[in-house]
Amino acid sequence: MRLAAPAKSSPAKTEQIILFRVSGQLFAVSSASVQEVRSADSMSGAAMEISAPGLRKVRHAVRRGERSLFIVNGAMHFGLHAAEGALLFVLRKTRTALLIDGIDKMATMTRLQALPLSFCHEERQWYRGLTALDQSIVPVVKPEGFLFPEELALLDAALLQADNTAAAAALEEADSPQ
């Protein structure tokens, strides 16, 4: 009589993540959700200043073809002390570019823990869960958790107002005698 071969355990599902810092705090994001990494300085010339009431975490937008990206200040989003961000993560499938201090490293995540119930406010929408890396617990962010549909509507309205103000100023300048 032959014994059945033992069932092979499937290898743990892994995911590549990017560890990054905002105001000295460590966070992680799936590397697949980051479309590109840019220097904050490289976007400064193309960034348009905007102001949306009650939405202090976004001060700039960048036009990319038909689409506008809103630059979310990571420190303000997470409620951390203000810091000058050096890099931008342009997040895939969103209209968000996240301003961060810097990248720590790439890593492989083998397990994503659900958020504890102590995360009971808006931060439940910010994070996918927690992971353990190098004896540290790191929150893993949701790319779509930085700007919600109602915030995007406010930002679109602020962008339209900024466009109208710029167009009016350009017309006024063109009409003024030289």
Side-chain angles (χ1 to χ4, degrees), residues 5-89:
K8 291 183 180 178
S9 62
S10 60
K13 184 180 176 194
T14 62
E15 183 177 351
Q16 288 301 114
I17 56 175
I18 302 171
L19 297 173
F20 65 96
R21 292 204 179 267
V22 174
S23 296
Q25 299 296 310
L26 190 62
F27 298 92
V29 66
S30 169
S31 63
S33 65
V34 177
Q35 181 175 328
E36 64 183 280
V37 178
R38 302 283 303 255
S39 160
D41 292 338
S42 72
M43 293 285 229
S44 63
M48 168 190 259
E49 196 164 324
I50 62 170
S51 176
L55 204 55
R56 294 181 32 232
K57 66 184 177 181
V58 177
R59 289 283 175 237
H60 296 92
V62 176
R63 295 228 193 255
R64 289 195 146 182
E66 296 288 315
R67 204 172 117 138
S68 295
L69 289 176
F70 298 106
I71 300 173
V72 174
N73 182 308
M76 294 185 88
H77 174 79
F78 292 117
L80 301 171
H81 65 83
E84 282 294 318
L87 295 176
L88 286 168
F89 280 164

Side-chain angles (χ1 to χ4, degrees), residues 32 62 70 76 91-92 97 119 127 133 152:
V62 176
F70 298 106
M76 294 185 88
L91 300 174
R92 202 178 300 280
F119 288 79
Y127 302 115
L133 293 169
L152 286 167

Side-chain angles (χ1 to χ4, degrees), residues 101-112:
D101 297 349
I103 296 173
D104 264 27
K105 65 181 179 179
M106 297 281 294
T108 301
M109 177 174 68
T110 56
R111 184 174 178 149
L112 182 66

